[in-house]
């Protein structure tokens, strides 16, 4: 994680980062908006088609949101910031405290993909989602593609569902038909987004398979290398044993020069391995050398 000092400038607008109005934002607003934005930029929720640059930008924004919340959610720090408009060098995370610690203040347990999905299931179809959809409908001039990029927990396949929410508001007189709404909510537009969604899923699955294959190849390579080391150690031990037998045979030969009769075992040790044994050892040594060369 980037140091706190590199995430925000001393005169950063923390309310703007959390998309809040300085004059009217309550403690509840700060907490609610932080939760929504943190979920939007959470690394686990980035689209499969996102580039590495997009993911890095989202991660940076995720951290900036967390730091802004850590200041505005603390009454003393918030009061000082509201008075001075600047961020103290002592603000932010202390020591090894992680961003997950801040999420624990919002949920019980560590925030992960599972808790995000739990929140998404509660958010979809709620009054809160409807308010957000209608707000972004106005801000995006009715463009469904842009609305989907702003509404949290939304996918490309949610276009028809969100269009229905907007149309009901129009029928009630709570909203007016904006210029780009009709053109971006046709059957053709919905099909195009659905196809794009499928392409993103396939690309994500392709990346996952590639990553798993690479992990598997690395594991197999490590296993082969370990086995080669084991075989090499055994061959080294065998070579040492042969050398020891040869030395023993040489010593026994010197002892028996006085005419004493050599035992069968002493004779075998002096003569060394048989031709067949020697060939087997030679083959093993050559095989080990070839493996090491790979």
């Amino acid at each position: 994680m980037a140091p706190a000092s590199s995430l925000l400038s001393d005169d950063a607008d923390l309310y703007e980062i959390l998309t809040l109005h300085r004059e009217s934002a309550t403690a509840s607003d700060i907490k609610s908006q932080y939760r929504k934005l943190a979920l939007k930029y959470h690394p686990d929720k980035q689209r499969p088609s996102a580039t590495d640059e997009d993911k890095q930008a989202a991660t940076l924004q995720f951290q900036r949101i967390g730091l802004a919340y850590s200041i505005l959610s603390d009454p003393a720090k918030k009061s000082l910031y509201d008075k001075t408009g600047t961020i103290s060098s002592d603000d932010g995370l202390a020591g090894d405290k992680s961003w997950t610690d801040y999420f624990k203040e919002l949920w019980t347990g560590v925030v992960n993909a599972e808790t995000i999905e739990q929140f998404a299931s509660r958010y979809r179809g709620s009054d809160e989602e409807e308010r957000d959809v209608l707000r972004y409908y106005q801000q995006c001039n009715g463009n469904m593609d842009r609305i989907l990029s702003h509404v949290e927990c939304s996918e490309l396949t949610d276009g028809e569902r969100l269009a229905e929410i907007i149309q009901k508001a129009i029928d009630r007189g709570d909203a007016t038909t904006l210029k780009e709404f009709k053109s971006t909510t046709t059957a053709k537009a919905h099909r195009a987004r659905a196809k794009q969604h499928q392409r993103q899923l396939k690309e994500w699955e392709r990346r996952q398979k590639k990553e798993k294959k690479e992990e598997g190849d690395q594991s197999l390579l490590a296993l082969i290398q370990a086995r080669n080391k084991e075989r090499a150690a055994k061959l080294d031990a065998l070579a040492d044993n042969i050398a020891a037998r040869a030395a023993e045979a040489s010593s026994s030969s010197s002892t028996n020069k006085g005419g004493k009769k050599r035992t069968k075992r002493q004779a075998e040790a002096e003569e060394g391995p048989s031709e067949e044994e020697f060939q087997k050892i030679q083959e093993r040594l050559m095989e080990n050398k070839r493996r090491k060369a790979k």
Side-chain angles (χ1 to χ4, degrees):
M1 187 189 72
S5 59
S6 67
L7 293 175
L8 299 175
S9 61
D10 290 343
D11 58 349
D13 190 332
L14 304 184
Y15 292 95
E16 182 179 341
I17 291 173
L18 295 181
T19 62
L20 291 168
H21 294 292
R22 180 187 295 263
E23 294 76 16
S24 60
T26 65
S28 178
D29 292 334
I30 292 170
K31 184 174 182 178
S32 176
Q33 194 64 8
Y34 163 61
R35 180 190 67 184
K36 291 162 63 176
L37 290 175
L39 284 173
K40 179 179 179 180
Y41 290 101
H42 193 286
D44 289 346
K45 293 301 294 180
Q46 299 312 301
R47 297 183 185 278
S49 60
T51 63
D52 290 340
E53 185 177 343
D54 290 337
K55 291 178 181 178
Q56 290 176 1
T59 299
L60 179 60
Q61 184 63 10
F62 175 71
Q63 294 175 347
R64 294 176 75 239
I65 290 166
L67 184 53
Y69 172 74
S70 73
I71 296 171
L72 295 182
S73 62
D74 185 304
K77 291 181 180 180
K78 179 179 181 298
S79 177
L80 179 61
Y81 172 74
D82 288 342
K83 291 177 181 178
T84 64
T86 59
I87 302 171
S88 168
S89 59
D90 295 330
D91 287 334
L93 299 178
D96 297 327
K97 191 174 183 181
S98 69
W99 293 103
T100 299
D101 294 327
Y102 286 106
F103 279 103
K104 288 181 180 179
E105 298 173 9
L106 305 181
W107 286 285
T108 300
V110 177
V111 169
N112 51 30
E114 182 179 354
T115 55
I116 289 173
E117 288 305 320
Q118 289 173 354
F119 171 80
S121 66
R122 294 193 300 269
Y123 177 76
R124 292 189 183 101
S126 66
D127 293 340
E128 184 180 8
E129 182 191 47
E130 181 177 349
R131 289 193 298 271
D132 288 344
V133 169
L134 296 179
R135 175 160 57 90
Y136 288 122
Y137 171 68
Q138 295 292 332
Q139 291 182 10
C140 300
N141 197 30
N143 187 299
M144 182 54 67
D145 294 319
R146 292 173 58 197
I147 294 170
L148 287 169
S149 69
H150 284 80
V151 176
E152 60 182 301
C153 305
S154 66
E155 303 286 352
L156 290 173
T157 50
D158 288 321
E160 290 184 79
R161 185 175 65 83
L162 300 192
E164 185 176 347
I165 293 174
I166 295 169
Q167 188 58 54
K168 287 181 178 179
I170 294 173
D171 294 341
R172 293 194 307 267
D174 294 337
T176 58
T177 303
L178 298 178
K179 183 178 179 180
E180 297 182 46
F181 178 61
K182 292 295 185 182
S183 62
T184 58
T185 57
T186 62
K188 182 179 179 180
H190 290 316
R191 286 197 299 271
R193 281 190 289 268
K195 288 181 180 179
Q196 184 181 354
H197 180 69
Q198 288 301 317
R199 287 196 297 271
Q200 290 178 354
L201 286 179
K202 288 181 180 179
E203 174 62 18
W204 182 81
E205 290 173 354
R206 186 190 68 78
R207 290 181 183 179
Q208 289 292 100
K209 288 180 180 179
K210 182 180 178 181
E211 290 176 1
K212 288 183 179 179
K213 183 179 182 302
E214 290 174 351
E215 290 176 359
D217 290 344
Q218 290 296 322
S219 298
L220 180 59
L221 178 61
L223 179 61
I224 292 173
Q225 291 175 339
R227 288 180 175 175
N228 285 344
K229 287 182 180 180
E230 183 180 355
R231 291 193 182 101
K234 288 182 178 179
L235 287 172
D236 289 343
L238 180 59
D240 291 341
N241 186 42
I242 291 172
R245 288 172 62 185
E248 182 184 349
S250 177
S251 176
S252 298
S253 176
S254 299
T255 303
N256 288 322
K257 283 182 179 180
K260 293 183 180 178
K261 186 177 181 180
R262 295 179 302 170
T263 65
K264 182 178 180 181
R265 183 173 180 179
Q266 289 173 330
E268 290 177 349
E270 184 177 343
E271 292 171 2
S274 66
E275 182 65 24
E276 183 179 356
E277 289 175 333
F278 179 79
Q279 288 297 329
K280 288 182 178 180
I281 293 170
Q282 189 77 355
E283 289 174 3
R284 289 176 183 171
L285 290 172
M286 292 301 294
E287 177 64 20
N288 184 54
K289 184 176 181 180
R290 285 196 296 271
R291 290 182 180 278
K292 288 183 176 180
K294 289 183 178 179

